[in-house]
Amino acid sequence: MKRFSTLFAVVFSLCLWVGGANAQVLVLEDFEGGSLPAGWTIQTQASDGGWNFGTADALASDYWPLPNNGSLVAATNDDACDCDKSADYLIMPAVDITGITALYLIFDMSFGGGTYGGLTEHAYIEYSTDGGSTWIQFMEIPGTGALSWVEQSVDLSALAQQNDGDVLIAFRYDDNGGWLFGFAVDNVLLYTPAALDAALASLDAVAPYAVVGDDITISGTILNNGLDTIQSLDVSWTDGTNTYTDNLTGLNLMPGAMTNFTHSVPFTVSDYESYTISVMLSNPNGSADGLPVNNSAEFSVAGLSFLPEKKVFAEEATGTWCGWCPRGAVFMEYMAETYEDSFVGVAVHNDDPMAIAAYDNGVTSFPDFTGFPSVIFERDIIIDPSDLDAYYSDYLNRGAAVQVEVTNAVLDVATRELTIEANSTFATSFNAADYSTFFAFKEDNVTGTGSGYNQANYYSGGAAGTMGGYENLPDPVPADQMVYNDVARDILPGFNGQEGIVDAAPDDVVSSQMTYDFPNNWDPREMEVVFVMLDNAHGGAALNVDASEITIICPSSLDLDVAVNGESAA
């Protein structure tokens, strides 16, 4: 969600200093142009041009899965380049700070401050008073230890008080001579404070879906970002048709202090549609706000007939030839054990005896796929297996507008016919073209003989760290010591699924059915049927998923072990 628009960037960049009543916005940039903004410059020793601009997905890589913040961003990616990024500068336009004594910088960032191979990446705010010939470090930006987007506020007043004339201010990324990760920024605001500046610091989280008729409480946090104490303030919200305003009095909100608010009028979800609610601050102390760019925020909520149970879906790209792929097996197993009721994972093999061409080709052709191991998470992003837990809660909390359930998965071992059925119960209206579905089969405890079942293992010996016990196993791990789980056996009708058959209204139930000739060399006792619905209206991301074990019908005249052909083999 952007807190300001390109229009603001144009208007405020032309403002002149008019005294303490209003803020002076020196730099305001949201990178929505998708390229280096006018007036900005880059200094770099990297072979990829240093900083690049675009969507988070386009700028991310296998081991630096930059989260999507819903907009275009600026980023430098050391993982993708593996080049000299010890001095990657993203430099703001020159600003004249003559006579300025208070100067602040606010920006969003994604920077983990990660370590690899004994080296740690760093990020800094630096400045130059000689046009960029030399740089002075103002502060090091601490890493968050994760890749989530966070807002940073930096007091640059000491810089302003020590200098006059033109100054360049820059973000600098330093890979410390190693092969590290990266640094991304967005929504950069450099300004001098106003006397009255009420900032909407945050809105309390609102679930993306609500049942029609529910009331949504609108609440958040207000920051006094100005120089004067705020005694009164208006808080308003609008759904685009109606606007409701609360006048808050007796605040005594000192500069730098925060206070929480809850609006007296909730938003009522009245129909099966998506609503955007805008929340605004105005009239601090009955006067104009000196920096209106930080006064508003918005959220969206959609009305449903009921709240479906959401599960998350992960497809791991792996192969027995891949020495780093034990990492995928370890973290997929962790997720399955930790989130048994809400995580469905499938291991899609490549170039080994367990590979299924239709599934493997779909995974390796997925946009921005770069290699093994990696995970296509919710058919939305590609992440490293080690980041599964970090992304799980966010995607689970996004909810779903449809409930899916595998209602029938029965194998008659006498005929080798598998009958499967899944129901999709819609909580809102869907056009047939907006969704598609597929079935997948996966199997646990898969073993085999021959070199194709040997697992390459770069964790052997512990030099690459611990990895679920693989550090104590040889490289490769012999086939007779390997057991493979979540192995994808087939995907029907294909990777992109079958487009919806009918339009659906709230509470409609659509059934998907099929029969399947069950192979003799799979063990149904170790298998699950997976059913996935994809959101074609939003790039094919997973709407919801379910999985079910197979029920086996075995005539009394047959021994079950014989009927299912003994233990599983590929």
Side-chain angles (χ1 to χ4, degrees):
M1 178 181 67
K2 310 302 288 188
R3 290 188 304 278
F4 49 82
S5 68
T6 303
L7 176 61
F8 275 129
V10 173
V11 173
F12 280 106
S13 65
L14 299 177
C15 285
L16 299 176
W17 177 241
V18 294
N22 295 314
Q24 181 186 19
V25 175
L26 303 172
V27 176
L28 184 61
E29 183 57 57
D30 60 11
F31 303 109
E32 290 302 291
S35 60
L36 183 67
W40 290 64
T41 53
I42 293 170
Q43 290 183 10
T44 183
Q45 301 172 30
S47 58
D48 67 347
W51 288 79
N52 292 285
F53 308 87
T55 66
D57 289 347
L59 299 176
S61 59
D62 213 13
Y63 299 105
W64 193 56
L66 180 63
N68 187 350
N69 72 343
S71 64
L72 304 188
V73 303
T76 176
N77 186 335
D78 192 48
D79 171 57
C81 187
D82 188 19
C83 55
D84 184 359
K85 285 185 173 286
S86 60
D88 265 9
Y89 285 89
L90 178 62
I91 308 166
M92 303 176 207
V95 293
D96 183 357
I97 58 173
T98 302
I100 293 176
T101 58
L103 183 65
Y104 291 86
L105 173 66
I106 296 176
F107 60 96
D108 294 339
M109 76 165 195
S110 181
F111 175 63
T115 297
Y116 180 75
L119 299 172
T120 300
E121 62 185 347
H122 299 278
Y124 305 95
I125 301 294
E126 298 191 3
Y127 68 96
S128 174
T129 58
D130 58 8
S133 297
T134 59
W135 290 94
I136 302 168
Q137 184 185 131
F138 183 81
M139 64 167 288
E140 181 168 359
I141 302 170
T144 61
L147 295 182
S148 57
W149 283 92
V150 296
E151 184 180 89
Q152 296 288 318
S153 180
V154 179
D155 185 349
L156 296 176
S157 299
L159 182 161
Q161 293 164 9
Q162 296 168 12
N163 296 275
D164 282 322
D166 285 352
V167 63
L168 295 174
I169 299 173
F171 301 100
R172 175 193 167 203
Y173 175 76
D174 178 7
D175 67 1
N176 203 15
W179 182 16
L180 277 302
F181 304 99
F183 179 32
V185 297
D186 198 6
N187 299 331
V188 178
L189 172 62
L190 179 69
Y191 71 101
T192 63
L196 287 173
D197 177 15
L200 185 53
S202 65
L203 290 177
D204 293 340
V206 173
Y209 298 109
V211 175
V212 170
D214 282 357
D215 288 339
I216 305 297
T217 299
I218 298 174
S219 57
T221 302
I222 299 166
L223 165 68
N224 184 351
N225 201 46
L227 303 175
D228 293 350
T229 299
I230 296 176
Q231 299 292 352
S232 63
L233 182 69
D234 288 347
V235 180
S236 306
W237 69 263
T238 181
D239 59 6
T241 301
N242 301 300
T243 301
Y244 303 90
T245 300
D246 280 350
N247 179 247
L248 308 183
T249 60
L251 294 176
N252 197 33
L253 192 63
M254 304 291 288
M258 293 186 178
T259 188
N260 298 324
F261 74 91
T262 298
H263 204 283
S264 62
V265 180
F267 168 68
T268 301
V269 180
S270 59
D271 206 345
Y272 304 110
E273 61 180 270
S274 181
Y275 300 87
T276 297
I277 308 302
S278 299
V279 184
M280 302 147 289
L281 306 181
S282 62
N283 300 323
N285 294 350
S287 302
D289 192 290
L291 186 63
V293 70
N294 58 13
N295 287 15
S296 63
E298 62 185 28
F299 66 87
S300 296
V301 61
L304 303 180
S305 60
F306 70 99
L307 290 180
E309 177 187 3
K310 169 65 177 171
K311 298 180 182 180
V312 297
F313 182 50
E315 295 161 297
E316 174 206 5
T318 187
T320 62
W321 54 268
C322 166
W324 295 117
C325 284
R327 182 169 70 254
V330 168
F331 282 99
M332 289 283 282
E333 186 69 19
Y334 165 81
M335 295 296 292
E337 292 178 353
T338 305
Y339 306 109
E340 179 180 1
D341 296 331
S342 53
F343 175 83
V344 178
V346 178
V348 182
H349 281 253
N350 168 269
D351 198 25
D352 67 27
M354 292 166 282
I356 303 298
Y359 214 153
D360 178 35
N361 291 340
V363 166
T364 54
S365 299
F366 194 81
D368 300 321
F369 181 84
T370 56
F372 300 78
S374 57
V375 174
I376 299 176
F377 195 68
E378 287 277 278
R379 288 286 178 96
D380 185 41
I381 57 172
I382 297 179
I383 63 174
D384 186 81
S386 61
D387 291 317
L388 277 164
D389 203 19
Y391 282 83
Y392 165 81
S393 294
D394 176 37
Y395 277 78
L396 185 72
N397 292 335
R398 294 183 185 188
V402 62
Q403 178 88 37
V404 299
E405 181 183 8
V406 179
T407 56
N408 191 38
V410 177
L411 173 66
D412 185 334
V413 295
T415 63
R416 310 302 297 179
E417 183 174 85
L418 175 66
T419 302
I420 53 179
E421 180 179 6
N423 285 343
S424 304
T425 306
F426 293 85
T428 189
S429 298
F430 273 79
N431 295 319
D434 289 344
Y435 67 94
S436 59
T437 60
F438 67 82
F439 287 100
F441 308 125
K442 67 172 184 170
E443 183 174 359
D444 286 341
N445 294 314
V446 176
T447 60
T449 58
S451 61
Y453 287 89
N454 296 341
Q455 177 63 60
N457 178 25
Y458 295 163
Y459 292 95
S460 180
T466 60
M467 188 50 63
Y470 278 92
E471 67 275 11
N472 301 319
L473 297 173
D475 179 21
V477 184
D480 61 7
Q481 297 183 40
M482 282 302 305
V483 176
Y484 297 92
N485 290 322
D486 299 319
V487 176
R489 289 308 201 181
D490 207 347
I491 184 168
L492 301 170
F495 187 76
N496 295 318
Q498 178 181 10
E499 191 173 281
I501 300 173
V502 298
D503 292 347
D507 296 323
D508 279 356
V509 179
V510 176
S511 179
S512 301
Q513 302 171 333
M514 67 175 297
T515 58
Y516 185 79
D517 292 333
F518 197 84
N520 288 326
N521 58 342
W522 299 353
D523 187 345
R525 296 166 299 184
E526 299 288 352
M527 295 187 67
E528 287 188 327
V529 174
V530 177
F531 181 70
V532 182
M533 178 172 285
L534 304 177
D535 185 359
N536 295 338
H538 296 89
L543 278 164
N544 217 338
V545 60
D546 190 38
S548 174
E549 295 178 350
I550 294 175
T551 299
I552 303 170
I553 299 176
C554 182
S556 58
S557 60
L558 293 178
D559 177 84
L560 181 59
D561 286 339
V562 173
V564 299
N565 199 31
E567 297 300 321
S568 173

